[in-house]
Amino acid sequence: EDKVVQSPLSLVVHEGDTVTLNCSYEVTNFRSLLWYKQEKKAPTFLFMLTSSGIEKKSGRLSSILDKKELFSILNITATQTGDSAVYLCAVDRLTQGGSEKLVFGKGTKLTVNP
Amino acid sequence: KAGVTQTPRYLIKTRGQQVTLSCSPISGHRSVSWYQQTPGQGLQFLFEYFSETQRNKGNFPGRFSGRQFSNSRSEMNVSTLELGDSALYLCASSSSGTSFKQYFGPGTRLTVT
């Protein structure tokens, strides 16, 4: 059975701290790994990673994938209160029918205190 | 471009009733996926429709069904509601069905009493 596990489940930090969120996975027919940020309702796309060892970066956020060890990390440096959200990791896999399917982890709830 | 819209935004139903949720994708998008999000299980895939055909289905009982119309709008129906169906139901649209280009709607919060 496909599995995506995120850790920690929740995290409380102070503004300015650096955080690392973890995502490990076991899926068949892996295509890519995605990170989303969910603040109120709709998750918003952050990164898609397909190749091992190549860091994706956007401002203070960065992410990297290790396809050999089957995990990814999302780093946020100099955290701000606006970073408070649930961060979701999802793996895109091919189904037997040839279509794609996203399998989500349960998320990491990040709270950044002023 | 307008984003993905979902109606209604909030819904309270009684056990045993049925419910229909609606999702209007971004104009031009032909793929609509539905997800259920609960605190215990996280975000779980329900099904995906592309050009009015169900392409993919998650591990949910037959009480959960959906359809897609020719204008790509999609509906999800849950019959014989159970307390455990209380959740946030999210739909996401994409132009080609490629998962990473999905845009999520704001969700419908369903409470079953």
Side-chain angles (χ1 to χ4, degrees), chain B residues 24-106:
Chain B
S24 292
I26 290 172
S27 178
H29 284 190
R30 293 161 65 191
S31 167
V32 173
S33 297
W34 287 90
Y35 297 87
Q36 181 195 66
Q37 188 174 32
T38 59
Q41 297 299 319
L43 241 166
Q44 291 185 287
F45 172 76
L46 281 155
F47 27 66
E48 183 213 359
Y49 285 87
F50 184 84
S51 293
E52 301 179 66
T53 302
Q54 187 182 85
R55 287 208 300 192
N56 215 345
K57 193 175 187 309
N59 298 325
F60 278 81
R63 300 185 297 107
F64 292 81
S65 63
R67 59 179 175 167
Q68 187 180 33
F69 301 95
S70 57
N71 62 358
S72 292
R73 189 178 71 87
S74 178
E75 286 182 348
M76 190 194 92
N77 185 275
V78 187
S79 62
T80 321
L81 284 165
E82 300 176 0
L83 295 178
D85 297 332
S86 294
L88 179 66
Y89 290 88
L90 291 161
C91 87
S93 78
S94 70
S95 56
S96 62
T98 304
S99 297
F100 85 94
K101 288 180 181 171
Q102 286 188 344
Y103 296 86
F104 282 84

Side-chain angles (χ1 to χ4, degrees), chain A residues 1 31-32 34 36 38 40-45 48 86 88 92 95 99-106, chain B residues 9-10 35 37 40-43 45 48 55-58 88 90 97-100 102 104-106 109:
Chain A
E1 191 184 326
R31 281 175 57 90
S32 62
L34 302 99
Y36 288 86
Q38 186 175 26
K40 298 280 186 190
K41 294 286 171 67
T44 53
F45 172 80
M48 182 184 77
V86 174
L88 296 166
D92 179 20
T95 67
S99 62
E100 294 159 12
K101 180 179 168 182
L102 277 184
V103 182
F104 281 85
K106 292 187 180 179
Chain B
R9 295 291 307 278
Y10 301 91
Y35 297 87
Q37 188 174 32
Q41 297 299 319
L43 241 166
F45 172 76
E48 183 213 359
R55 287 208 300 192
N56 215 345
K57 193 175 187 309
L88 179 66
L90 291 161
T98 304
S99 297
F100 85 94
Q102 286 188 344
F104 282 84
R109 171 72 65 185

Side-chain angles (χ1 to χ4, degrees), chain A residues 27-67:
Chain A
V27 301
T28 52
N29 300 321
F30 172 92
R31 281 175 57 90
S32 62
L33 186 143
L34 302 99
W35 285 95
Y36 288 86
K37 179 182 181 182
Q38 186 175 26
E39 291 180 82
K40 298 280 186 190
K41 294 286 171 67
T44 53
F45 172 80
L46 292 174
F47 297 112
M48 182 184 77
L49 303 127
T50 54
S51 302
S52 234
I54 297 176
E55 186 183 48
K56 290 280 182 91
K57 204 168 164 59
S58 175
R60 296 176 294 102
L61 278 67
S62 63
S63 183
I64 197 158
L65 172 68
D66 186 328
K67 285 168 78 172

Side-chain angles (χ1 to χ4, degrees), chain B residues 5-24:
Chain B
T5 57
Q6 290 187 245
T7 56
R9 295 291 307 278
Y10 301 91
L11 205 48
I12 299 175
K13 289 285 190 179
T14 304
R15 218 169 16 173
Q17 288 185 315
Q18 76 161 18
V19 66
T20 299
L21 312 181
S22 181
C23 172
S24 292

